[in-house]
Amino acid sequence: MFKEFIARYENALVNDVIPFWEKHCIDHQYGGYFTSLDRDGSVYDSTKYMWMQWRIVYMFGEFYASEYKKDNYLEIARDGFDFLYNKGRASDGSYYFALNRAGEPVISQYNVFSDCFAAMGAAEMFRATREEKYYNAAREAMDSYLKRIASGNPAGVWNKSMPARQSYLALGHYMMIANLALVMKRGLGISDYDRDGAAALDLVLDKFWNEEHQVVFENILLDGTFDLESCQGRMLNPGHVLEAMWFMLDYMQESGNDSRREEVLKIIEATLKFGWDKEYGGIFYFMDVLGKPHLELQHDMKLWWVHNEAIIACLYAYKVSGRKEFLDWFKKLDDWTWSHFPDPEYGEWFAYLNRRGEPTHMLKGGKWKTFFHLPRCLYMSVKLMKEMQQ
Amino acid sequence: MFKEFIARYENALVNDVIPFWEKHCIDHQYGGYFTSLDRDGSVYDSTKYMWMQWRIVYMFGEFYASEYKKDNYLEIARDGFDFLYNKGRASDGSYYFALNRAGEPVISQYNVFSDCFAAMGAAEMFRATREEKYYNAAREAMDSYLKRIASGNPAGVWNKSMPARQSYLALGHYMMIANLALVMKRGLGISDYDRDGAAALDLVLDKFWNEEHQVVFENILLDGTFDLESCQGRMLNPGHVLEAMWFMLDYMQESGNDSRREEVLKIIEATLKFGWDKEYGGIFYFMDVLGKPHLELQHDMKLWWVHNEAIIACLYAYKVSGRKEFLDWFKKLDDWTWSHFPDPEYGEWFAYLNRRGEPTHMLKGGKWKTFFHLPRCLYMSVKLMKEMQQ
């Protein structure tokens, strides 16, 4: 059933996406990676954004441990790790947001997701090599991430919010805990974070889902209620929700406890329905649950990662449920995504399309796009489809 | 020559834009203003962003001192001033970025432009009333603004940049000094800031203009050179440049020293040419001087304020030069702007259009749009056109 899809996804991964990054992202002079890559792979800015850097370590580590293994994948990941671990870590074990090309920190450690992606990259390196230094680096970064989230103030001294400001719990923080717990389990072979992962899963399903509006909110009040009076409270991020939901299915599969599977399937379907642009196709970036104006100028754009995560969510949902609606959604998404994002001329995919699906930028990588969502989508999709073929 | 234009601009100002804000922006319960106004004027968020708040004080103060004077304009501005001065000022005299509806600070004073717009609002109130408290508030905010810019670190403790980060001078900081110096001169009747204004004007013309590329850069290196290697260094903001240039013409007119007029006229023409979208019309929001990918997702959108400032710049340039090319540019801009931004159904103007000129948001006000650019454009345009008619 998936034969053509598997061939197409695997071909893109092996003959297009991995080679594009292998060829263009390595900074042979200073170490680390270039991620600001123009349409043809040329470098248009050499700032080393830590999220983007660590995600490359993670992905090349993952491919080294996969059926697509090549020896140089480990070298690429190892060299990056050394650069990032040595240059990118602040004295408290947290990670800066950005380094300059030479590796000097240029933007502070205000953003907690630098720690998150460092933990993922290091854990994947341990899985690939079993070398203790990677294990320790992964634990250190993971503990920093969890501690900062638990503090209620992950931005630390760079937090611009004042005491009177309405505080929210953010979906992104908890969805990443569920994913990280699994990465630690698989990468480090430990169960130390199982409770954190299970608690995050329950929190998202118990609190962030709103039955009345049939949506998962991006931000909820600290007491678990919803804030429909402010832009922040009404905000939806369908791509985030779909990513979170396949993390949940993945977590359930690993833990063997799928008691909440039906809730996850319901959320995936509701999010696809709510997020799909009925006029031009594709999934919106940001939405307001009541259709009021969105703060972000780019809210109606179509982003590659949103569609990558949606494809994985559909395939995972179809695999665990066998329900035809998820297969239909997958085909619809596959069709829109593949007819709008790939760049037939220079390879790899465009990142940013306007609402109509026309590219607004020619970049293949930047401050927010790197070797991560797209290769992970292709890889996970091939894996899920092959499992279903058998 | 301008008869139809004057009638249309004046009608929009007096019968549409001022009444829209008069009716919808006042928070009778807590004081201050609502600026997050949906298409029909209804409030969709009650956060009180200080830039937006102080600009309302400024504009109603200005209209009270104008031929459009109505007594309640002074009341609206006075009530807002009291709320903002009493609730919005930190202990060091700088202004927070945002208050909640009740007036408690919710976002810290990291953004120096809160001080800038407080200075403008207070100075305009002094002009309208001659009451000393407004004079003192204007001086205090102006001095805070200048001190923070001169420090090289206006964001203070909230600055996320680290020592190794490339530092730039920002066009916005200096263009506002030129404008502020004039507002202080006219509002407070003092010449204390003339030197600051003149220095800012010279800096922009001497350093930010690049002869080779025929553009004014948004950011230049501290030594006055250009950085073509980074996104930040290559960034252009045509709306900012056109706004800066009519500030310069205004400053020259007031100071009586127009020795650099030709340079300003050349920049206006070059910016219109570079910034105009030859495919869909209108002026781009952000550009990269070399056409490389832009960091901002919304770079190709068409924003109301960019077109408001461009219209003033064209009329001012035509008035001082009499050159037909500026009249042609004015007509071209007028045509595109008026056929895309006004909302015939609910009044006022849309803020955000996609590249094609279709609204992406229905809002009339928000975090970045308030009673400012549009009424100032209509008012200044009528004024300039009437002067030319005579």
Side-chain angles (χ1 to χ4, degrees), chain A residues 38 44-45 49 96 100 104-108 110 157-162 164-165 229-232 234 285 292-301 303 352 354 356 358 360-361 363 367, chain B residues 38 44-45 49 96 100 104-108 110 157-162 164-165 229-232 234 285 292-301 303 352 354 356 358 360-361 363 367:
Chain A
D38 210 340
Y44 63 86
D45 191 297
Y49 298 104
Y96 301 115
N100 62 18
E104 297 167 295
V106 292
I107 304 180
S108 73
Y110 78 96
V157 299
W158 295 279
N159 187 355
K160 294 179 293 197
S161 295
M162 302 189 68
R165 190 178 193 185
E229 297 301 311
S230 79
C231 289
Q232 207 177 345
R234 289 190 303 268
Y285 185 18
K292 291 182 188 286
H294 204 288
L295 274 188
E296 300 292 336
L297 274 59
Q298 64 270 30
H299 72 104
D300 69 349
M301 291 176 67
L303 273 67
Y352 304 116
N354 62 21
R356 277 185 173 79
E358 301 155 339
T360 57
H361 296 63
L363 65 82
K367 187 175 177 182
Chain B
D38 209 342
Y44 63 87
D45 191 298
Y49 298 103
Y96 301 116
N100 61 18
E104 296 167 296
V106 292
I107 304 180
S108 72
Y110 79 96
V157 299
W158 295 279
N159 187 355
K160 294 180 295 198
S161 295
M162 302 188 68
R165 190 177 192 186
E229 298 300 311
S230 79
C231 289
Q232 207 178 344
R234 290 190 303 267
Y285 185 17
K292 291 182 188 286
H294 205 286
L295 273 188
E296 300 292 337
L297 271 61
Q298 64 271 31
H299 72 104
D300 68 350
M301 289 176 69
L303 273 68
Y352 304 115
N354 62 21
R356 277 186 173 81
E358 301 155 338
T360 58
H361 296 63
L363 65 82
K367 188 174 177 182

Side-chain angles (χ1 to χ4, degrees), chain A residues 182 186 245-254 265 268 310-322 326 380 383-384 387-388:
Chain A
L182 202 56
R186 288 178 182 159
M245 290 305 117
W246 80 253
F247 287 171
M248 300 301 169
L249 293 177
D250 209 31
Y251 190 88
M252 288 173 185
Q253 174 168 300
E254 187 76 24
L265 295 175
I268 292 175
I311 283 172
I312 303 176
C314 288
L315 285 172
Y316 224 133
Y318 182 58
K319 188 191 144 196
V320 302
S321 73
F326 291 115
M380 285 288 299
K383 199 159 154 279
L384 290 165
E387 286 164 6
M388 286 189 271

Side-chain angles (χ1 to χ4, degrees), chain B residues 98-115:
Chain B
L99 311 178
N100 61 18
R101 187 178 171 190
E104 296 167 296
V106 292
I107 304 180
S108 72
Q109 60 273 36
Y110 79 96
N111 189 302
V112 71
F113 289 106
S114 297
D115 300 0

